[in-house]
Amino acid sequence: MPEILTAALYHFVPLPDCEALRGPLQAECDRHGVRGLLLLAPEGINGTIAGPPEGVQAVLQWLRSDARLAALRHKEAHGDRMPFYRMRVRIKREIVTLGVPGVDAARDAGTYVKPTDWNALIDDPEVVVIDVRNGYESGIGSFAGAVRPDTRSFTEFPAWVAEQSAPGGLLEGKPRVAMFCTGGIRCEKSTALLRMQGFEDVYHLEGGILQYLEDVPAEHSRWEGDCFVFDERVSVGHGLAPGAHRDLCRACRMPLGPQELASPHYLAGVRCPYCHGTRPAAQEHALAERERQMALARARGTDHLGARQPGTGPRNAEDLPLGGGAVLSGPPPTEPVPVLYTFRRCPFAIRARLALAASGQRCEWREVVLRDKPPELLQASPKATVPVLVLPDGQVLEQSLEIMRWALHRNDPLAWLETGDPQTVADLIAACDGPFKQALDRCKYPERHPDSPPEIARAQAFGWLADLEARLAQSAFLCGSQASLADAALMPFVRQYAAIDRADWACRPWPRLQAWLAGWEGGALWETVMQKAPAWHSGQAVQYFPAPPAGPPIPA
């Protein structure tokens, strides 16, 4: 079998031209047969790539040829199986999402501690040792005596720090702190956060847990259990040997060891002991079908996901030439598809696209310029507001919720329609589309509402957002442990409010709501929904929405 080299890399450095780097970097990876995911942001680069050793090394050399990335460090792992389905280079606000404006890891990260000196530091009883990873990672292994915040995503960490900095908390009085994570990137960001908040003695493990496990012999180690890794290995132990947790639940992403795999609640690709009983039968059926298709692809020796086929055109809308003419989502459908009139930034249109993308419903994509609406839109819907969905039989759906329900009734693999009490879902959406939307418009466009005092609108918006925060204190999503129609319908409007002033948003006492929003914005579904397309005009070649589903994400 051919050797596969996997390289995990990151570097905090100002990259104000990150948008311009995306295309050439994607082309360089494709040229060398390298797959994976790389994130570019104004604060740096982060990601994991894999492929033939000479191809991976060529990409690394290309990156380091940029003087700003000359100090880029990476970790290598060798194997005989490709851990990724495709290559993606994505532009993000942050290379690891914390959601706190002003944190500058390149400037303010804490003091590095080498793995050989780490034991002496964490053995000091005056040092608070914090595992900044998520709960599913720290649950299978950590340093002895470390504090585990058990966050669901990194965006929850600032709220945990705030809680523990209060009187009686672990961080009261700003003690000496030592932090660690898998490879070091989250530690650089989290130590910079603490230093921004006035902590002076903040340390982090250089190279992360992986470097420690590689450098420190097992007989001298303070590490207990396995270290979760974000590739097909799932976990490693001392010397970076494979860990006991070698499988991942494809439904909930929890790492699985021999005990979980032997459980009667485990069904490959569908459920495990951690998520058993949390999904409706329809969703489990969809997961089982996905697993069946992947097994068939393996038997044929082909990729089930992600391989770009000749003639399918560019993967992202940024690749489209002005004037269009490209297909965003594979070859033309064999049957007529609906026509979607949409505007990228409109929250009503966004919610409709979320449901269409989640359901996998393909549409002919017609991006509208609101100041120059095409006559075809005006003919289909005299009200001429987006979104509008024209079905193949001529029926016209003019309301965003109508489009969402139509798409999800056809296919609802994420069980959005089945999650939550129907009346509660309806009430949440009605409050969003009514009182909150009115307050949002007055906060965002005060000049359009001179007779409405902006402080009243802000108070109304604050009250509604505080109610959402209270809901999220009870469960991970607005109506339970998984996303519902209400989450998808409300998210674009919460995002629009947050975008009015991101710094002000970050200062508000809504840590769970902020983490909920950041989770949506960091997901592959959001990337699909927010792709760019040129304005549609009559006679141009057909473009399709949505794009193909994304592969495994880089961790939060």
Side-chain angles (χ1 to χ4, degrees):
M1 293 185 121
E3 181 184 3
I4 297 295
L5 173 63
T6 299
L9 58 99
Y10 78 91
H11 189 50
F12 283 104
V13 64
L15 293 178
D17 59 339
C18 58
E19 286 271 6
L21 295 175
R22 190 194 69 82
L25 178 53
Q26 178 76 52
E28 186 71 10
C29 293
D30 291 343
R31 187 163 71 91
H32 292 286
V34 170
R35 301 181 186 178
L37 174 61
L38 291 174
L39 304 182
L40 293 171
E43 68 177 4
I45 184 172
N46 174 30
T48 303
I49 56 176
E54 63 276 11
V56 171
Q57 294 296 349
V59 172
L60 293 172
Q61 183 178 358
W62 186 89
L63 287 169
R64 291 183 177 119
S65 68
D66 186 322
R68 297 169 298 180
L69 299 175
L72 175 72
R73 294 184 296 178
H74 74 279
K75 293 290 296 180
E76 294 186 356
H78 295 266
D80 57 9
R81 184 170 60 166
M82 170 59 77
F84 300 105
Y85 294 114
R86 69 187 75 168
M87 184 66 224
R88 295 175 296 153
V89 180
R90 295 168 58 185
I91 303 298
K92 304 286 285 184
R93 289 194 184 92
E94 303 175 71
I95 58 173
V96 58
T97 303
L98 186 62
V100 178
V103 176
D104 188 339
R107 182 190 63 204
D108 297 329
T111 303
Y112 284 117
V113 178
K114 292 189 177 299
T116 51
D117 299 325
W118 182 250
N119 289 353
L121 176 65
I122 67 174
D123 286 347
D124 186 337
E126 299 300 316
V127 174
V128 178
V129 184
I130 302 175
D131 188 336
V132 303
R133 300 173 301 155
N134 298 319
Y136 65 88
E137 301 169 76
S138 61
I140 66 170
S142 191
F143 283 106
V147 177
R148 294 170 43 197
D150 285 332
T151 53
R152 292 170 296 183
S153 72
F154 192 41
T155 56
E156 294 183 350
F157 187 72
W160 183 86
V161 170
E163 292 172 358
Q164 296 301 322
S165 297
L170 288 168
L171 301 179
E172 180 186 7
K174 297 181 171 53
R176 297 174 71 203
V177 175
M179 295 181 170
F180 63 91
C181 59
T182 308
I185 183 169
R186 285 174 283 184
C187 292
E188 293 203 31
K189 202 73 175 281
S190 57
T191 55
L193 171 70
L194 262 65
R195 292 192 64 192
M196 189 175 76
Q197 297 182 356
F199 287 76
E200 294 183 359
D201 297 319
V202 186
Y203 307 89
H204 57 113
L205 178 57
E206 184 174 4
I209 302 164
L210 295 178
Q211 194 66 55
Y212 181 92
L213 293 176
E214 188 173 3
D215 292 355
V216 177
E219 60 268 23
H220 300 305
S221 175
R222 302 293 191 273
W223 180 261
E224 298 177 343
D226 290 340
C227 175
F228 182 88
V229 291
F230 294 92
D231 56 46
E232 291 299 316
R233 294 174 297 169
V234 181
S235 72
V236 297
H238 287 96
L240 302 185
H245 295 77
R246 301 188 183 186
D247 287 272
L248 199 68
C249 176
R250 301 300 172 182
C252 72
R253 311 296 296 172
M254 285 294 290
L256 307 176
Q259 183 176 348
E260 289 87 0
L261 295 174
S263 168
H265 296 313
Y266 173 72
L267 181 60
V270 179
R271 63 175 182 267
C272 73
Y274 299 106
C275 63
H276 169 70
T278 64
R279 288 181 172 82
Q283 189 174 2
E284 287 205 347
H285 176 77
L287 292 170
E289 176 60 22
R290 180 187 69 173
E291 183 67 17
R292 187 181 75 85
Q293 293 294 334
M294 293 180 71
L296 289 173
R298 286 193 295 269
R300 293 192 300 266
T302 60
D303 287 334
H304 172 56
L305 297 173
R308 186 185 299 194
Q309 302 299 323
T312 61
R315 177 172 290 122
N316 294 307
E318 291 89 339
D319 297 328
L320 290 174
L322 291 177
V327 176
L328 293 184
S329 50
T334 57
E335 298 180 358
V337 297
V339 174
L340 175 66
Y341 293 94
T342 183
F343 176 60
R344 182 174 178 270
R345 299 195 306 273
C346 170
F348 289 105
I350 292 172
R351 68 160 49 151
R353 296 199 306 272
L354 279 170
L356 290 165
S359 72
Q361 174 62 54
R362 294 187 71 190
C363 304
E364 181 180 336
W365 184 357
R366 297 184 178 181
E367 184 73 13
V368 173
V369 177
L370 298 182
R371 66 178 179 274
D372 186 22
K373 298 172 183 175
E376 291 83 357
L377 170 60
L378 298 172
Q379 182 178 359
S381 173
K383 73 181 184 70
T385 59
V386 292
V388 169
L389 190 70
V390 182
L391 303 184
D393 63 4
Q395 181 183 357
V396 179
L397 307 183
E398 299 179 284
Q399 301 295 329
S400 59
L401 283 176
E402 189 179 21
I403 296 172
M404 293 183 80
R405 293 186 183 278
W406 176 85
L408 296 172
H409 276 303
R410 290 171 64 85
N411 185 33
D412 188 15
L414 302 178
W416 285 357
L417 291 180
E418 298 181 30
T419 301
D421 173 66
Q423 188 59 54
T424 301
V425 170
D427 290 345
L428 283 167
I429 296 174
C432 173
D433 294 2
F436 178 70
K437 181 61 168 65
Q438 294 175 9
L440 171 60
D441 288 345
R442 285 157 176 76
C443 292
K444 185 175 176 63
Y445 307 110
E447 70 281 359
R448 299 181 186 177
H449 306 276
D451 297 331
S452 178
E455 60 273 12
I456 294 179
R458 281 195 295 271
Q460 292 172 337
F462 286 178
W464 187 77
L465 294 166
D467 287 344
L468 297 187
E469 172 72 16
R471 281 191 163 274
L472 293 169
Q474 305 301 317
S475 57
F477 294 93
L478 295 176
C479 294
S481 60
Q482 64 186 52
S484 68
L485 179 68
D487 293 89
L490 270 60
M491 177 269 172
F493 296 88
V494 176
R495 173 182 176 270
Q496 191 175 59
Y497 179 85
I500 295 173
D501 187 338
R502 283 282 179 175
D504 179 78
W505 168 257
C507 295
R508 294 296 166 187
W510 308 317
R512 296 172 182 86
L513 183 60
Q514 290 155 353
W516 172 88
L517 178 61
W520 278 97
E521 290 180 312
L525 182 63
W526 182 252
E527 179 190 15
T528 296
V529 164
M530 295 305 290
Q531 288 191 32
K532 296 178 181 178
W536 180 83
H537 58 81
S538 180
Q540 80 174 41
V542 174
Q543 302 167 49
Y544 292 106
F545 174 89
I554 278 180

